[in-house]
Amino acid sequence: MVSTDNYWRSVFTFLAIIIMGVFAQFEWQARDAFDEIKIKYDKVTQDNCQIQHLGDLYLPENTVSHLPDIKEININPVFPNRTALLHLHNMALSRAFFWSYILQSRFIRPAINDTYDPGMMYYFLSTVADVSANPMINASAVYFAPNSSYSSSYRGFFNKTFPRFAPRTFRLDDFNDPIHLQKISTLNTFSVQDLGSIPSNAYSKDYSTDYYKINEWYKKWLPDDVENRHDTKTTYDIEIRYANNTNETFTFHGPPGADEIPGPVKFTRPYFDCGRSNKWLVAAVVPIADIYPRHTQFRHIEYPKYTAVSVVEMDFERIDINQCPPGEGNKDPNHFSDTARCKTETTECEPLDGWGFRRGGYQCRCKPQHRLPSHVRQPFLGEILERATDEQYYNGFDCLKVGWIQKIPIQWERAPPYIREKYLDRYTEYRNYTTGAGSLHTDKINADQVLNFILGVSERTCGDYHEQDLILRGDIAYGARQQFENEAKMALRLANFISAFLQVSDPTEVYSGKRVADKPLTEDQMIGETLALLLGDTKIWSAGTYWERNKFTNRTLFAPFAYKKELNTRKFKVEDLARLNKTGETYLEKDFFRFLKQRWSTNFDDLEQFWMKIRIRHNETGEYSQKYEHYPNFYHAAKLEHGHWTVPRFDCKGFVKKWIITYAAPFFGFDSLKAKLEFKGVVAVSMDMRQLDINQCPDDYHVPNAFKNTHKCDQSTSYCVPILGRGFESGGYKCECLQGFEYPFEDLITYYDGQLVESEFQNIMNDKETRYDLFKCRLAGASAIKAQLFLISGVLLTLLFFMQVRH
């Protein structure tokens, strides 16, 4: 009986310990700012959002921190966890520039009446392309102020406006959609609506009133009440040269300039998109300018005014949060600052990218004069700390104090000849090296000589080189696909739009009532779209839309090409490359055009298919919306990997005299019989190669990187880690100590900076004073071993002394 009682008592005790261990695992974690936001985030759902208090539909403004600032884009590096937000910023800016341009472009053709404005399908398909080409973007819209949108989509509608007009596209979850029998979510189905087609007394559906609740994006810029002066809108100058060699300078009013306060782009607080996509979204908002009102014959009352806003949105849960404490490189406001679990006595926090709205997106690095324990290889991951029990947390995740710290030497000396020879034997490419263009054609390149050649070619000196020397190997621009991905998506967006318009919009279609079909794409629309790529993204130096022969309406050749001469400017140039029609000079002979034309000449099976569910207004006044009955209501377009990246080249005879890398995306439409798809042309953007960060760290043998393994870290005690933002120069890395080694010097960092390492390496190569041989990590714990050796030797000497005295 006693033994049975003991047995059950033991079982009960064991179960109690297990239960307490499970429920008390995270007891050491106090409630913080993340928990407060998570409660608000989970509180609002699709079912209850209509009855929630207005304040509960918004999260605090500082929940999205470190927003891209257009004033710093070309100065400070944009980190990987903010590239999606930067693309959101650029997309909204690009679309606002286009709509501002095209709404005012009637002044280029003053004889053309209101039918020159884009039709409704142009607006709809434009917002669809914004979302289809960008997986991180969830929705795109253009919201017009009341009675501000003129349209060419209705007969006899001259100089009249829609009461409300707001084309919007958002991405649907098509998991249960009957179109896709596979029951797989493709993210290629879009809901397209005109949010302006509402009854006149439906105030809760009117996005321009306070009853709409979630229209903070509208209130950022609208209504635009201009007082006193009429010249308050920023102007941009476009020099256009047409195919017939006629020139024109067109000045239009657009969004505020980058140098103005507050700048062109405003971000909203995270808000719950109630009754629409029913998700938490963050929006970038840019105003669209127009000359309003129109056609009054009195120019003194027609003045530039913000008549609409471009709103591009992304999921809040995809935006990385920053849990690290505020500091010099991590400035407030940030709602989640100092919620990381790093042990501040011995470690410091460093954010990671790709974690979104969840805990653990950081790592805990050792503080200066500390090192990792010998059994730990990498910094402590935040996710591991967040999941740890209290016992694991309090007994681990600490760095050890470095015992004996060395002073950085003040006096430098020339290295002895045998030391210099040792490094010359290790880096043989520095013993007998080739300069100039020949440095690219050695077995193992000398990175410094290659960079000297590339950086030495300029607009003034490029004529001194052979044309082949100005075309580099593709592996010189390793990393371009990742670092210029946002710019490639801008080109893909325009290619997708042209594909959608050519396949879905039919100019010959006849509707009942007063509705008329959209006109074919016009010359000014294509010039505006091409120009918007340049205006929306400062990394793009030139952009072109190249149409195949006889594929553009009433034109044999047509290729609007926009470019800029300097970085921060409001003056841009546009050339129609159809003007250059000599044999061998036409744009049809460009490498990327010929490559994509050959690739997509016959087989289109690999193209992506995008489905649309469109609801348009019933009539001009838009009392209600109706389903757009049309077949096909889908289109085929290219994905990012269907485009083509060119090798770097210096275009000495071109318009942009820089080392450029070009990305080109194809677009498609139906043939004359509407029987099958055919290749229609290419959209291409070019970026300055010197804005790339080169990677000198080791990598797998199959990685095509010309600068691979050209770092100068001591490989026996340290390893190479790339650093962002150093540009197309050597030294964009740091030498971190290997497991079991420690940084020995009294310093504010725990690694050797690559730029310093490269500089000192050049000194030893040039036989100058250097300290390169000191850039090594020390065996961890060596200082303690040294102290123990001193103690042991002291004890031994003492024993020997007493033994001699006794004898």
Side-chain angles (χ1 to χ4, degrees):
M1 182 69 180
V2 175
S3 60
T4 305
D5 291 342
N6 289 338
Y7 171 77
W8 287 109
R9 191 178 294 114
S10 301
V11 171
F12 177 77
T13 305
F14 176 76
L15 290 174
I17 292 172
I18 293 295
I19 292 170
M20 288 299 293
V22 171
F23 285 103
Q25 179 177 357
F26 304 107
E27 196 175 71
W28 61 275
Q29 297 184 4
R31 180 171 169 173
D32 58 18
F34 180 87
D35 297 311
E36 296 170 5
I37 299 300
K38 191 71 168 72
I39 290 170
K40 291 194 69 173
Y41 182 89
D42 295 333
K43 176 183 176 182
V44 185
T45 65
Q46 177 179 353
D47 301 322
N48 65 16
C49 67
Q50 299 285 354
I51 59 173
Q52 292 285 354
H53 186 271
L54 178 61
D56 293 331
L57 296 179
Y58 289 93
L59 298 179
E61 191 166 2
N62 57 1
T63 48
V64 180
S65 63
H66 305 87
L67 290 168
D69 186 351
I70 196 169
K71 296 175 176 58
E72 297 185 359
I73 287 175
N74 295 312
I75 301 172
N76 296 324
V78 177
F79 294 104
N81 61 1
R82 285 297 176 267
T83 51
L85 270 175
L86 175 62
H87 189 51
L88 186 81
H89 170 286
N90 292 343
M91 279 296 302
L93 189 60
S94 173
R95 301 319 303 145
F97 271 118
F98 168 73
W99 294 118
S100 298
Y101 177 91
I102 203 64
L103 291 175
Q104 298 168 60
S105 65
R106 63 186 181 280
F107 295 112
I108 304 177
R109 313 267 194 270
I112 299 181
N113 60 18
D114 65 330
T115 58
Y116 191 66
D117 285 326
M120 284 197 299
M121 285 306 296
Y122 196 106
Y123 282 95
F124 286 138
L125 297 176
S126 176
T127 58
V128 169
D130 297 344
V131 184
S132 69
N134 303 286
M136 296 295 286
I137 290 177
N138 192 63
S140 177
V142 179
Y143 296 92
F144 279 89
N147 298 304
S148 296
S149 57
Y150 297 85
S151 178
S152 60
S153 293
Y154 288 95
R155 195 176 294 109
F157 206 64
F158 179 77
N159 207 19
K160 294 181 182 179
T161 57
F162 290 146
R164 305 286 186 276
F165 183 51
R168 182 177 189 260
T169 296
F170 70 87
R171 195 186 308 273
L172 289 174
D173 182 3
D174 53 4
F175 177 78
N176 283 319
D177 199 293
I179 294 173
H180 304 290
L181 301 178
Q182 302 93 338
K183 296 294 181 183
I184 297 174
S185 185
T186 66
L187 301 181
N188 287 343
T189 303
F190 310 106
S191 173
V192 189
Q193 289 180 290
D194 179 3
L195 299 179
S197 56
I198 54 172
S200 57
N201 58 351
Y203 297 112
S204 63
K205 296 181 180 179
D206 186 351
Y207 58 81
S208 64
T209 67
D210 291 335
Y211 299 102
Y212 202 73
K213 288 187 176 181
I214 57 170
N215 59 349
E216 185 179 81
W217 27 261
Y218 181 86
K219 299 172 185 175
K220 288 285 186 183
W221 295 102
L222 299 175
D224 182 25
D225 298 320
V226 181
E227 297 179 0
N228 302 325
R229 295 176 64 94
H230 287 179
D231 57 349
T232 58
K233 301 298 180 281
T234 309
T235 57
Y236 299 85
D237 296 329
I238 314 299
E239 297 179 15
I240 307 174
R241 190 170 187 180
Y242 296 102
N244 59 3
N245 280 325
T246 57
N247 300 328
E248 181 171 14
T249 299
F250 175 55
T251 301
F252 73 99
H253 301 272
D259 56 336
E260 298 181 42
I261 296 175
V265 184
K266 292 182 180 180
F267 286 89
T268 65
R269 295 176 290 170
Y271 64 94
F272 192 83
D273 195 33
C274 184
R276 307 196 303 179
S277 60
N278 294 308
K279 292 183 177 182
W280 286 96
L281 302 178
V282 174
V285 189
V286 185
I288 297 169
D290 192 8
I291 307 296
Y292 183 87
R294 294 186 182 183
H295 310 298
T296 64
Q297 304 303 317
F298 300 102
R299 292 305 301 270
H300 65 284
I301 64 171
E302 295 181 7
Y303 56 91
K305 182 179 179 180
Y306 294 145
T307 58
V309 286
S310 171
V311 181
V312 184
E313 300 152 298
M314 70 178 294
D315 288 350
F316 168 69
E317 64 180 13
R318 291 192 174 195
I319 301 174
D320 292 336
I321 62 173
N322 189 337
Q323 295 183 250
C324 295
E328 187 63 31
N330 184 26
K331 296 181 179 179
D332 279 335
N334 177 11
H335 196 82
F336 303 103
S337 66
D338 210 10
T339 58
R341 310 296 189 190
C342 295
K343 292 191 171 181
T344 55
E345 298 83 8
T346 63
T347 63
E348 54 190 7
C349 179
E350 180 181 290
L352 302 175
D353 63 283
W355 293 78
F357 178 60
R358 60 190 179 105
R359 287 188 183 274
Y362 59 91
Q363 63 182 9
C364 302
R365 303 178 50 82
C366 290
K367 275 190 168 182
Q369 302 171 21
H370 290 78
R371 64 173 177 84
L372 289 169
S374 298
H375 63 278
V376 179
R377 180 172 298 175
Q378 299 288 346
F380 305 111
L381 279 178
E383 185 184 27
I384 306 299
L385 269 79
E386 300 281 355
R387 297 175 183 231
T389 63
D390 55 349
E391 181 182 0
Q392 291 172 332
Y393 180 75
Y394 290 118
N395 295 328
F397 308 114
D398 270 309
C399 288
L400 304 179
K401 183 78 174 175
V402 174
W404 179 56
I405 300 173
Q406 300 173 224
K407 292 284 187 179
I408 297 177
I410 300 174
Q411 182 177 356
W412 305 348
E413 297 178 354
R414 290 172 59 185
Y418 71 92
I419 294 290
R420 184 169 179 269
E421 286 297 321
K422 179 180 75 171
Y423 289 113
L424 282 171
D425 287 341
R426 182 176 301 174
Y427 301 99
T428 55
E429 65 273 18
Y430 284 84
R431 187 181 292 276
N432 294 312
Y433 55 83
T434 307
T435 60
S439 60
L440 289 161
H441 306 294
T442 56
D443 292 337
K444 185 175 182 182
I445 68 167
N446 183 317
D448 294 294
Q449 295 303 321
V450 169
L451 291 173
N452 287 340
F453 162 67
I454 292 174
L455 301 178
V457 180
S458 65
E459 180 178 356
R460 183 174 52 85
T461 63
C462 64
D464 300 335
Y465 295 90
H466 191 277
E467 190 173 348
Q468 288 184 342
D469 294 336
L470 301 179
I471 302 175
L472 303 180
R473 296 164 11 196
D475 59 353
I476 296 292
Y478 171 77
R481 299 191 180 203
Q482 292 77 35
Q483 298 176 45
F484 290 146
E485 183 179 3
N486 284 353
E487 288 68 39
K489 287 178 180 176
M490 298 287 276
L492 183 68
R493 183 254 152 221
L494 178 52
N496 275 18
F497 164 71
I498 299 175
S499 296
F501 195 89
L502 294 179
Q503 296 172 46
V504 175
S505 178
D506 185 0
T508 62
E509 195 161 4
V510 178
Y511 298 98
S512 61
K514 296 181 180 179
R515 168 86 191 277
V516 295
D518 277 29
K519 300 284 190 298
L521 293 173
T522 67
E523 188 174 329
D524 283 334
Q525 287 170 356
M526 289 297 95
I527 290 175
E529 290 281 7
T530 308
L531 188 64
L533 299 178
L534 203 66
L535 288 158
D537 194 318
T538 57
K539 281 189 176 181
I540 297 176
W541 280 83
S542 67
T545 305
Y546 306 90
W547 287 77
E548 172 66 317
R549 188 184 300 272
N550 295 322
K551 300 305 179 186
F552 190 76
T553 309
N554 298 327
R555 291 288 299 274
T556 304
L557 297 177
F558 182 52
F561 177 83
Y563 65 99
K564 59 188 177 186
K565 286 291 189 179
E566 53 189 30
L567 187 58
N568 299 312
T569 182
R570 293 180 187 170
K571 295 183 178 180
F572 302 86
K573 299 177 183 291
V574 177
E575 290 259 356
D576 186 351
L577 297 185
R579 182 176 63 84
L580 308 174
N581 53 15
K582 292 182 181 179
T583 304
E585 288 186 3
T586 64
Y587 65 84
L588 300 175
E589 299 299 318
K590 288 186 177 291
D591 294 341
F592 57 82
F593 190 94
R594 295 172 62 186
F595 176 86
L596 289 172
K597 180 181 177 180
Q598 183 180 6
R599 162 66 181 86
W600 298 102
S601 58
T602 54
N603 190 348
F604 306 98
D605 293 343
D606 199 32
L607 292 177
E608 197 76 6
Q609 190 173 23
F610 299 98
W611 293 82
M612 297 171 292
K613 298 182 177 181
I614 304 178
R615 296 190 67 84
I616 62 172
R617 58 180 53 227
H618 172 66
N619 55 15
E620 303 98 312
T621 53
E623 280 84 5
Y624 62 90
S625 63
Q626 63 186 27
K627 186 177 179 182
Y628 179 59
E629 299 288 356
H630 185 273
Y631 186 84
N633 213 3
F634 60 85
Y635 66 94
H636 294 86
K639 295 185 291 186
L640 193 65
E641 55 267 30
H642 291 152
H644 175 63
W645 291 90
T646 67
V647 296
R649 67 173 61 219
F650 197 98
D651 197 2
C652 198
K653 297 179 181 179
F655 298 105
V656 180
K657 294 178 173 57
K658 291 180 177 294
W659 289 106
I660 58 171
I661 302 170
T662 301
Y663 173 80
F667 55 86
F668 309 90
F670 289 117
D671 61 8
S672 57
L673 299 177
K674 292 189 177 298
K676 63 182 181 66
L677 288 176
E678 67 177 7
F679 172 82
K680 294 287 189 180
V682 164
V683 177
V685 292
S686 297
M687 291 69 66
D688 183 3
M689 183 188 70
R690 292 176 55 175
Q691 290 184 290
L692 281 178
D693 290 329
I694 65 173
N695 188 342
Q696 294 180 255
C697 295
D699 213 328
D700 293 330
Y701 71 94
H702 55 78
V703 175
N705 178 9
F707 297 101
K708 176 174 60 182
N709 205 21
T710 59
H711 68 94
K712 308 305 185 299
C713 295
D714 179 55
Q715 299 188 33
S716 59
T717 63
S718 62
Y719 63 97
C720 175
V721 179
I723 294 179
L724 295 175
R726 296 288 175 89
F728 208 77
E729 295 181 0
S730 61
Y733 59 89
K734 56 184 177 180
C735 302
E736 292 272 12
C737 293
L738 286 168
Q739 183 180 9
F741 290 86
E742 62 190 13
Y743 185 75
F745 293 109
E746 185 180 26
D747 205 345
L748 296 177
I749 54 177
T750 59
Y751 56 84
Y752 297 106
D753 190 286
Q755 288 183 333
L756 181 61
V757 172
E758 292 283 341
S759 176
E760 294 300 321
F761 180 79
Q762 284 300 318
N763 286 341
I764 201 173
M765 291 295 104
N766 297 330
D767 202 13
K768 296 180 180 179
E769 291 82 3
T770 182
R771 50 179 169 163
Y772 177 72
D773 201 42
L774 295 176
F775 293 157
K776 299 176 182 178
C777 293
R778 185 177 64 196
L779 191 66
S783 59
I785 295 171
K786 191 169 186 178
Q788 291 168 9
L789 288 174
F790 275 120
L791 182 61
I792 293 169
S793 60
V795 171
L796 290 174
L797 287 172
T798 305
L799 288 173
L800 288 172
F801 174 76
F802 280 113
M803 288 174 66
Q804 288 178 358
V805 170
R806 186 173 295 178
H807 287 292

